[in-house]
């Protein structure tokens, strides 16, 4: 019972995968419908689901997929063409199958019945000619179109046939599946005297009369497998009464090259393709449960912490061999950390491909013609990040289709091709992955955004804002420039939610206009992994804090005179204004103020800020442990980590800290309408 | 040590059903997801029986059958082909004289066990 249950789970996983393949194939076939490889792959998706569903007694799946399979079979045979209507219909069938497979019992599928009936009715014209029974299907085939006739098959068998496992009996039996074997004559000329007979050698040849409707190729195909051992000659419409076995021509030499070729016309070609298949070196995959992997990553995390503890101990002991061993261990642990994190890395391509359907659906709903171009699909990132990036990306892609790309009429007025483009791109850049969503639409109008923002009272009418500031207003809660809210983008989920989702992944999103394609480009920057980071440690009072190393720009000493003004919120760092965040004050830490203090200059999303700390402790590998639920409302902290000495250190949420400064800043700008307060320095 | 059986099918769930059935009957099972994969996994070890699907990506069951029969060490290994009740597969049956038996999907695991025992003995 349990075995069936686990197998059923496998079936579900497999079906989901096949269905997503099916979707991609259907979309790809809209432009390349003639390619037999795609057609075969598409057929195989449904075929496999049907076959597996049958094994589990999921008759509701089998019944439905059977019809779809029939249609795909005809498509593959070139009997019908893939029109846009049929593609739409098949996509909807795919969706229906995905619902069906999730239902464990045929009896529970009743609720889905009406939808299925509608789809089946839609498929009717595409498979009705094929008939409901196999007999009729067969009759449409050219092979079977010929009337039954008798033909004589001359079989010359190589002496080694038995040694190669090619028993003639099996072949003769299979001939019977093509029609009626009317007669089998055994030709025994080659039989030696009994004393010379070798039991492993084949001495017999055959002549067979077969009443069949199958054509010559079909008959010859039976022997294709053994084309080097069996020499076949098929003679059509040969009346059996005229055959005189003695008079029948018996070629003495069965192994001429010519005859072998004529016996199996397809053999060479087939051998070629199998060679190609072998050459196509396959990447081997195997499937493991995601939680096993998560467990491994957790353990590696613990290992990293322990190894840090060992290093610390060795360092303190002053024992040189111990220190060397610890250093060695550290190198290995780092390598293990990297390769185990790599296990969780998946190419983003799969996520990107999903959007082919999104773009297609959105475009047809809006009456636009939009093409999705995907580049950088091989770019890898952590599986946990991939899972969470889907929603924000969907929103951005929908937005690009809806607000970005103009309607065809407007496009041709501007002299652009009527077919719009949305571009998804991904690449790695210094420890982050960058995902860009671009469109070739009209781009953003600074004035419109500003006007709307003022109308919504997001900015004061007299505020002075840079272009980037204006564009960033789009991410403010409750902002939307399109007067008429369509049911596509205007789902009540604003860009602020997109930004929040991305920031929860420790990422950033920014808007560039004009973008890569002339319209708008949204650039998302995400960390490669969420589990382990390189951190930079610093001490404030008794507490240790960790700043993600990729955000650290530089460290500098806070000079004595700069310390004087306790109310001072910025310094002049090499002619640049640097806003300061006093961590001691921010976290309300007690303890003596140190004489010497340091500034860690951090950067996030184009903004810099200085964190004031007591002491700089240097780099370490930081395994991120999430903060418990009760701490989820804490601002400015993103997690915790355990240090080598067993102490807990808190990881600073730099984006939030910078934002807080920026908001104070903005509030100041909007409120005081003056430039007396410094702006954040843009980098 | 049990007799070993190779199962070739692109459907993981079918592989699992067949494999679990055979394992519980005391056989050793080698799994492969297509013909090419199967050929890679056949490294000269003794295999008593092969069970292969027909319609698979990369290398289909018939090509696999032909390739495996061309290898000296597997020439005599019996092969059961798995097929479905489709016109396409029926046409193919004619092309595979080297197979010992055909099984039409869906089948009951017990049915398969009967066929397997017939070919390789319990």
């Amino acid at each position: 019972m349990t075995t069936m249950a686990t197998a059923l789970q496998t079936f579900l996983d497999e079906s989901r995968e096949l269905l997503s393949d099916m979707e991609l194939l259907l979309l790809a076939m809209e432009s390349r419908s003639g390619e037999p490889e795609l057609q075969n792959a598409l057929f195989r998706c449904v075929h496999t689901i049907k076959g597996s569903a049958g094994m589990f007694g999921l008759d509701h799946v089998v019944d439905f997929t059977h019809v779809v399979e029939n249609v795909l079979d005809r498509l593959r045979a070139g009997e019908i063409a893939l029109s846009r209507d049929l593609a739409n219909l098949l996509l909807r069938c795919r969706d229906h199958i995905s619902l069906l497979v999730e239902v464990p019992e045929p009896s529970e599928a009743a609720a889905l019945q009406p939808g299925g009936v509608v789809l089946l009715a839609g498929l009717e014209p595409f498979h009705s000619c094929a008939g409901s029974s196999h007999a009729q299907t067969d009759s449409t085939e050219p092979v079977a179109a010929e009337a039954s006739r008798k033909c004589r098959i001359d079989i010359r068998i190589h002496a080694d046939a038995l040694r190669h496992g090619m028993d003639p009996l099996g072949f003769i039996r299979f001939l019977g599946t093509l029609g009626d074997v009317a007669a089998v004559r055994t030709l025994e000329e080659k039989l030696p005297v009994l004393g010379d007979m070798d039991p492993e050698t084949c001495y017999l040849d055959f002549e067979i009369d077969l009443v069949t409707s199958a054509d010559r190729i079909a008959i010859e195909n039976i022997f294709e497998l053994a084309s080097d051992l069996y020499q076949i000659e098929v003679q059509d419409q040969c009346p059996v009464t005229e055959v005189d076995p003695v008079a029948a021509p018996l070629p003495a030499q069965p192994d001429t090259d010519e005859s072998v070729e004529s016996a199996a016309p397809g053999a060479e070609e087939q051998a070629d393709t199998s060679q190609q298949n072998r050459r196509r070196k396959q990447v081997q995959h195997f499937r493991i449960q995601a939680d096993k992997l998560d467990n491994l990553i957790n353990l590696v995390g613990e290992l990293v912490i322990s190894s840090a503890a060992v290093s610390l101990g060795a360092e303190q002991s002053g024992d040189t061999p111990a220190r060397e061993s610890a250093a060695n261990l550290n190198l290995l642990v780092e390598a293990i950390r990297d390769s185990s994190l790599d296990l969780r890395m998946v190419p983003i391509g799969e996520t990107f491909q999903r959007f082919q359907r999104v773009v297609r659906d959105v475009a047809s709903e809006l009456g636009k013609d939009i093409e999705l171009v995907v580049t950088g699909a091989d770019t890898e990132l952590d599986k946990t990040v991939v899972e969470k990036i889907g929603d924000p990306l969907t929103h951005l892609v929908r937005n690009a289709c809806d607000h970005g790309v103009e309607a065809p009429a407007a496009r041709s007025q501007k002299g652009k091709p009527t077919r719009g483009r949305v571009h998804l791109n991904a690449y790695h850049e210094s420890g982050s992955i960058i995902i860009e969503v671009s469109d070739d639409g009209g781009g953003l109008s600074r004035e419109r955004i500003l006007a709307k923002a003022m109308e919504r009272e997001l900015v004061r009418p007299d505020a002075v804002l840079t272009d980037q500031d204006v564009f960033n207003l789009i991410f403010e809660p409750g902002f939307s420039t399109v007067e008429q809210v369509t049911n596509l983008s205007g789902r009540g989920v604003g860009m602020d939610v997109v930004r929040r989702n991305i920031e929860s992944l420790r990422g950033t999103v920014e808007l560039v206009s004009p973008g890569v394609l002339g319209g708008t480009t949204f650039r998302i920057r995400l960390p490669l992994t969420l589990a382990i980071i390189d951190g930079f440690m610093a001490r404030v009072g008794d507490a240790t804090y960790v700043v993600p190393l990729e955000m650290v720009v530089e460290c500098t000493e806070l000079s004595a005179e700069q310390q004087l003004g306790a109310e001072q919120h910025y310094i002049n760092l090499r002619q640049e204004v640097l806003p300061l965040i006093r961590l001691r004050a921010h976290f309300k830490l007690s303890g003596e103020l140190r004489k010497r203090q340091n500034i860690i200059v951090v950067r996030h999303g184009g903004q810099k800020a200085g964190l004031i700390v007591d002491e700089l402790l240097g780099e370490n590998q930081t395994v991120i442990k999430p903060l418990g639920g009760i701490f989820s409302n804490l601002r400015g902290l993103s997690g915790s980590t355990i240090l080598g000495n067993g102490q807990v250190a808190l990881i600073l949420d730099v984006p939030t800290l910078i934002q807080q400064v920026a908001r104070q800043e903005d509030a100041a700008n909007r409120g005081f309408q003056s430039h007396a307060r410094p702006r954040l320095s843009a980098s | 040590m049990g007799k070993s059986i190779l199962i070739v099918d692109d459907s993981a769930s079918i592989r699992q059903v067949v494999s679990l059935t055979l394992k519980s009957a005391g056989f050793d099972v080698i799994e492969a997801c297509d013909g090419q994969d199967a050929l890679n996994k056949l490294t000269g070890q003794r295999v008593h029986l092969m069970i292969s699907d027909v319609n698979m990506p990369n290398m289909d069951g018939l090509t696999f059958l032909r390739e495996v029969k061309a290898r000296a060490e597997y020439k005599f290994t019996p092969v059961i082909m798995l097929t479905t009740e489709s016109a396409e597969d029926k046409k193919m049956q004619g092309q595979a004289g080297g197979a010992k038996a055909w099984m039409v999907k869906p089948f009951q695991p017990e049915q398969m066990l009967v066929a397997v025992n017939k070919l390789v003995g319990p």
Side-chain angles (χ1 to χ4, degrees):
Chain A
M1 196 55 228
T2 48
T3 59
M4 265 331 226
T6 51
L8 192 62
Q9 185 55 45
T10 312
F11 165 72
L12 277 179
D13 294 346
E14 162 185 285
S15 299
R16 286 187 197 122
E17 226 163 81
L18 287 166
L19 286 167
S20 92
D21 287 353
M22 182 178 171
E23 183 171 61
L24 295 179
L25 285 164
L26 277 169
L27 295 169
M29 281 170 74
E30 285 194 309
S31 52
R32 302 186 288 155
S33 67
E35 290 181 25
E37 241 172 69
L38 295 183
Q39 294 169 344
N40 283 330
L42 183 63
F43 173 82
R44 197 160 45 230
C45 289
V46 178
H47 181 80
T48 305
I49 292 176
K50 189 187 102 174
S52 311
M55 294 291 295
F56 296 100
L58 303 173
D59 292 340
H60 56 292
V61 181
V62 177
D63 291 347
F64 187 79
T65 47
H66 178 69
V67 180
V68 180
E69 186 192 21
N70 266 347
V71 172
L72 293 180
D73 197 22
R74 298 197 68 214
L75 189 70
R76 172 167 85 146
E79 289 167 32
I80 48 174
L82 185 71
S83 61
R84 192 150 176 100
D85 284 346
L86 181 55
N88 278 335
L89 189 58
L90 287 172
L91 280 170
R92 275 171 33 222
C93 287
R94 183 215 83 95
D95 298 344
H96 188 67
I97 298 173
S98 69
L99 294 177
L100 286 176
V101 295
E102 306 288 338
V103 179
E105 287 290 327
S107 53
E108 291 168 31
L112 295 170
Q113 192 86 24
V117 169
V118 172
L119 289 170
L120 288 180
L123 285 174
E124 189 71 28
F126 297 103
H127 77 96
S128 55
C129 319
S132 48
S133 75
H134 287 300
Q136 272 171 304
T137 316
D138 285 343
S139 73
T140 61
E141 292 161 15
V143 173
E146 297 169 30
S148 285
R149 77 241 181 285
K150 193 174 279 183
C151 57
R152 186 210 278 173
I153 306 161
D154 233 354
I155 308 174
R156 298 283 176 267
I157 304 170
H158 195 274
D160 284 341
L162 292 176
R163 272 183 218 106
H164 288 81
M166 297 295 177
D167 186 346
L169 195 58
F171 290 93
I172 296 171
R173 283 205 184 122
F174 272 100
L175 274 179
T177 63
L178 289 186
D180 283 333
V181 178
V184 178
R185 271 177 299 284
T186 310
L187 309 176
E188 49 212 34
E189 288 89 70
K190 288 195 280 185
L191 268 182
V193 292
L194 197 59
D196 296 342
M197 214 184 264
D198 170 10
E200 288 187 1
T201 304
C202 178
Y203 297 106
L204 298 177
D205 294 320
F206 297 92
E207 262 181 20
I208 293 167
D209 289 330
L210 184 69
V211 180
T212 179
S213 55
D215 68 356
R216 180 188 296 253
I217 306 290
I219 296 171
E220 286 172 349
N221 274 346
I222 292 187
F223 297 94
E224 203 183 296
L225 189 67
S227 56
D228 47 342
L229 298 167
Y230 283 70
Q231 206 189 333
I232 308 302
E233 206 175 315
V234 181
Q235 292 174 343
D236 281 355
Q237 277 141 11
C238 176
V240 70
T241 45
E242 283 176 23
V243 173
D244 177 3
V246 183
L250 302 175
Q253 176 50 267
D255 265 335
T256 62
D257 285 347
E258 253 179 42
S259 51
V260 168
E261 263 174 36
S262 71
E268 228 173 31
E269 240 178 71
Q270 292 264 356
D272 274 355
T273 49
S274 70
Q275 281 285 318
Q276 280 170 7
N277 279 339
R278 209 177 306 163
R279 245 174 270 141
R280 208 184 300 145
K281 194 71 191 153
Q282 259 215 297
V283 186
Q284 296 255 345
H285 288 284
F286 82 99
R287 211 178 275 266
I288 50 171
Q289 255 166 285
D291 50 359
K292 282 189 187 170
L293 200 53
D294 291 344
N295 194 22
L296 174 72
I297 304 279
N298 256 338
L299 286 174
V300 169
E302 301 294 336
L303 183 65
V304 169
I305 293 170
S306 304
S307 126
V310 170
S311 293
L312 197 72
E315 204 65 42
Q316 284 167 352
S317 75
D319 180 7
T320 312
R323 278 166 61 185
E324 270 173 16
S325 310
N328 239 339
L329 180 71
N330 252 339
L331 281 179
L332 286 173
V333 167
E334 254 173 65
I336 290 176
R337 174 198 70 167
D338 289 347
S339 17
S340 42
L341 283 179
D342 201 43
L343 289 179
R344 263 209 321 211
M345 299 298 254
V346 291
I348 197 165
E350 220 169 281
T351 312
F352 276 2
Q353 285 308 326
R354 261 181 29 205
F355 292 108
Q356 295 284 4
R357 178 83 183 268
V358 173
V359 168
R360 184 186 178 283
D361 288 354
V362 172
S364 66
E365 218 170 297
L366 293 167
K368 293 179 181 176
D369 186 9
I370 303 174
E371 168 192 25
L372 178 71
V373 184
V374 168
T375 50
D378 292 337
T379 314
E380 290 189 324
L381 76 165
D382 197 293
K383 195 174 177 312
T384 46
V385 184
V386 167
E387 281 162 4
K388 290 177 185 149
I389 196 65
D391 282 351
L393 266 187
T394 310
H395 195 84
L396 291 178
V397 169
R398 280 172 171 278
N399 255 343
C401 295
D402 194 3
H403 305 314
V405 177
E406 311 94 325
R411 289 181 67 88
S412 46
Q413 249 179 20
K414 291 184 191 169
K416 290 184 185 177
T418 49
R419 165 166 255 208
R421 272 170 67 193
V422 171
H423 185 189
L424 277 174
N425 185 27
Y427 54 92
H428 282 154
E429 195 185 87
S430 61
S432 307
I433 181 172
I434 313 281
I435 302 172
E436 289 177 346
V437 183
S438 315
D439 62 67
D440 67 346
L444 283 174
S445 147
R446 182 194 152 99
E447 285 66 40
R448 263 178 72 200
I449 296 173
L450 206 52
K452 180 62 81 177
M454 286 172 183
E455 187 191 311
R456 299 270 154 111
E457 296 178 346
L458 293 171
V459 283
R460 290 175 69 107
D462 39 18
V464 178
L465 300 168
T466 64
D467 282 0
Q468 198 57 51
D469 289 337
V470 174
F471 291 152
N472 281 340
L473 286 171
I474 280 204
F475 297 109
E476 291 296 321
F479 185 93
S480 171
T481 53
V482 168
E483 281 74 17
Q484 185 195 358
V485 173
T486 63
N487 73 332
L488 287 173
S489 319
R491 282 165 191 263
V493 185
M495 295 297 285
D496 57 317
V497 178
V498 172
R499 180 170 69 177
R500 215 181 311 138
N501 282 346
I502 290 170
E503 280 173 355
S504 72
L505 296 171
R506 295 196 289 114
T508 55
V509 55
E510 61 170 345
L511 197 158
V512 187
S513 181
V516 179
L517 296 177
T520 343
T521 293
F522 284 94
R523 188 169 292 142
I524 301 171
R525 181 186 291 268
L526 290 168
L528 288 181
T529 176
L530 298 177
I532 301 177
I533 55 167
D534 281 321
F536 187 85
M537 289 196 298
R539 194 190 302 282
V540 185
D542 295 329
T544 310
Y545 292 95
V546 177
V547 184
L549 192 63
E550 76 233 19
M551 294 176 180
V552 176
V553 182
E554 62 177 312
C555 298
T556 176
E557 203 184 337
L558 189 64
S559 54
E561 66 267 27
Q562 282 166 333
Q563 281 186 49
L564 289 174
E567 285 305 305
Q568 196 175 354
H569 291 290
Y570 55 93
I571 58 163
N572 178 344
L573 180 70
R574 292 189 294 276
Q575 312 308 316
E576 245 183 85
V577 174
L578 184 75
L580 295 178
I581 301 167
R582 291 170 189 274
L583 289 182
R584 183 182 290 275
H586 189 91
F587 291 119
K588 302 194 173 66
L589 297 172
S590 54
E592 282 279 301
L593 202 66
R594 298 264 184 119
K595 256 199 182 134
R596 287 160 62 93
Q597 283 189 300
N598 289 288
I599 303 175
I600 305 175
V601 181
V602 291
R603 172 165 57 199
H604 182 79
Q607 293 180 323
K608 278 188 193 171
L611 305 175
I612 300 184
V613 299
D614 290 351
E615 198 183 340
L616 302 174
L617 299 175
E619 293 174 34
N620 86 329
Q621 284 185 61
T622 307
V623 182
I624 300 178
K625 303 266 172 196
L627 290 169
I630 48 168
F631 300 117
S632 61
N633 288 328
L634 279 183
R635 312 272 301 162
L637 294 174
S638 63
S640 63
T641 186
I642 300 168
L643 302 176
N645 58 11
Q647 267 189 356
V648 173
L650 295 168
I651 301 168
L652 292 179
D653 183 2
V654 174
T656 313
L657 287 173
I658 289 188
Q659 257 173 35
Q660 284 177 1
V661 182
R663 293 215 174 108
Q664 288 165 11
E665 203 70 38
D666 285 355
N669 271 347
R670 290 172 201 164
F672 296 113
Q673 0 160 347
S674 75
H675 299 145
R677 310 275 296 195
R679 294 211 44 75
L680 289 179
S681 56
S683 65
Chain B
M1 183 151 152
K3 295 188 171 175
S4 75
I5 298 179
L6 171 78
I7 161 80
V8 193
D9 198 312
D10 56 328
S11 155
S13 54
I14 292 201
R15 268 200 324 267
Q16 202 168 356
V17 170
V18 172
S19 152
L20 289 170
T21 311
L22 292 175
K23 278 181 185 161
S24 61
F27 292 103
D28 288 336
V29 181
I30 308 165
E31 290 185 33
C33 64
D34 61 49
Q36 189 59 59
D37 188 28
L39 288 179
N40 291 343
K41 283 179 179 162
L42 289 175
T43 51
Q45 76 274 43
R46 180 91 199 269
V47 174
H48 294 77
L49 175 72
M50 303 182 195
I51 301 174
S52 171
D53 189 20
V54 174
N55 201 332
M56 294 181 290
N58 295 320
M59 184 189 285
D60 64 50
L62 294 179
T63 314
F64 166 67
L65 185 61
R66 192 162 45 234
E67 296 262 329
V68 83
K69 286 284 173 189
R71 289 202 192 170
E73 61 270 45
Y74 300 113
K75 235 156 234 163
F76 299 105
T77 310
V79 180
I80 299 180
M81 299 298 283
L82 299 180
T83 173
T84 48
E85 206 44 80
S86 75
E88 177 66 23
D89 281 6
K90 281 198 166 168
K91 268 186 273 170
M92 285 193 173
Q93 289 190 19
Q95 298 178 19
K100 276 283 179 191
W102 288 83
M103 287 209 76
V104 177
K105 286 191 262 188
F107 49 80
Q108 291 297 314
E110 300 77 39
Q111 270 176 291
M112 187 197 56
L113 215 49
V114 170
V116 168
N117 282 329
K118 222 182 248 177
L119 285 170
V120 297

